[in-house]
Amino acid sequence: MIRFFREGAAAGQQLLYVADKAETELADDLDPLPSRDAMLGTGQLKLLPLAKLYGPVDDFTADEQIAMFKELTAAAVRAGFGCLRVAAEATSLVLSVDGERAAHRFVGYEVGIDRVMASEPMLSMCGYDRRLVSARAASALCFVHPLRHGARGGQGCGVFADEDGSWSVTGEIDLVSRDSFETALSALPGDRDITLRLEGLTFIDVAGVRALAELSSRLAPRRLILHDPPTPLRRILRLWWQDLPGLEVAD
């Protein structure tokens, strides 16, 4: 995290550190950060306890938080910073009263934030305590993060937002990653056409293709556009789902 913030400070970005701690503890965490106190004084560095930023854990609302981060990003730009760089330790948001369901709900929030970062001057690094988060929930969360450190699952595959509003699917969708893939697809916005860029997809099993078909049905009458799917996927679609309304294949 110190390196992450040090790079942002050197680039003239505003830094925001969020965790389930008091502000004094947050400041202590950043003691190795050069010019920490000076940046706190100028407003380049901000410290926010998790509850102050997100509100009560049980009342967490993804849409409200996404809108809030958009406003924080806009405020950073208005203040003369080139970008908002956020480090958030968010384990307690995942471990709310309904446990794993909360983790999967939070995946939807992460998908939304990924979409913001693809189009706005915002960078974010999320942290989760893997001693407390279930393996299944951790894999689902890793699946929607392009870069992962210390992750047990979800390596090499995922669903990520692109700058043009489309989504890239990468890696292998198989028995190991299928549940995370289905969770990520269920979190994609259903109020517009969705384009999935599949040039980075190296393998997908039949159950993964079925998840795509279910997404297409959920979107109707809007479209699911599969851009540059691998040849085996094209064959499966022609055999089983050729007449599925709203499903389009593009090169």
Side-chain angles (χ1 to χ4, degrees), residues 89 91-92 94-95 128-135:
E89 204 296 314
T91 302
S92 60
V94 181
L95 301 178
Y128 304 96
D129 189 338
R130 65 183 186 185
R131 297 170 300 179
L132 303 177
V133 178
S134 72

Side-chain angles (χ1 to χ4, degrees), residues 153-212:
Q155 297 279 13
C157 55
V159 175
F160 316 119
D162 292 321
E163 292 182 1
D164 62 0
S166 63
W167 301 83
S168 289
V169 182
T170 63
E172 298 185 0
I173 307 302
D174 53 18
L175 182 63
V176 174
S177 58
R178 186 189 308 148
D179 182 68
S180 298
F181 180 59
E182 292 174 354
T183 300
L185 292 186
S186 69
L188 296 181
D191 59 349
R192 69 204 72 187
D193 292 349
I194 290 178
T195 297
L196 297 181
R197 298 193 173 277
L198 305 179
E199 52 264 36
L201 180 66
T202 56
F203 175 82
I204 184 168
D205 63 14
V206 173
V209 181
R210 186 179 299 113
L212 291 174

Side-chain angles (χ1 to χ4, degrees), residues 87-104:
E89 204 296 314
T91 302
S92 60
L93 291 179
V94 181
L95 301 178
S96 61
V97 290
D98 51 356
E100 194 145 312
R101 287 182 59 193
H104 283 204

Side-chain angles (χ1 to χ4, degrees), residues 8-9 11-14 42-44 72-84 121:
Q13 300 169 356
Q14 187 175 58
T42 63
Q44 184 176 7
L72 287 172
T73 301
V77 173
R78 289 195 299 269
F81 299 104
C83 176
L84 176 65

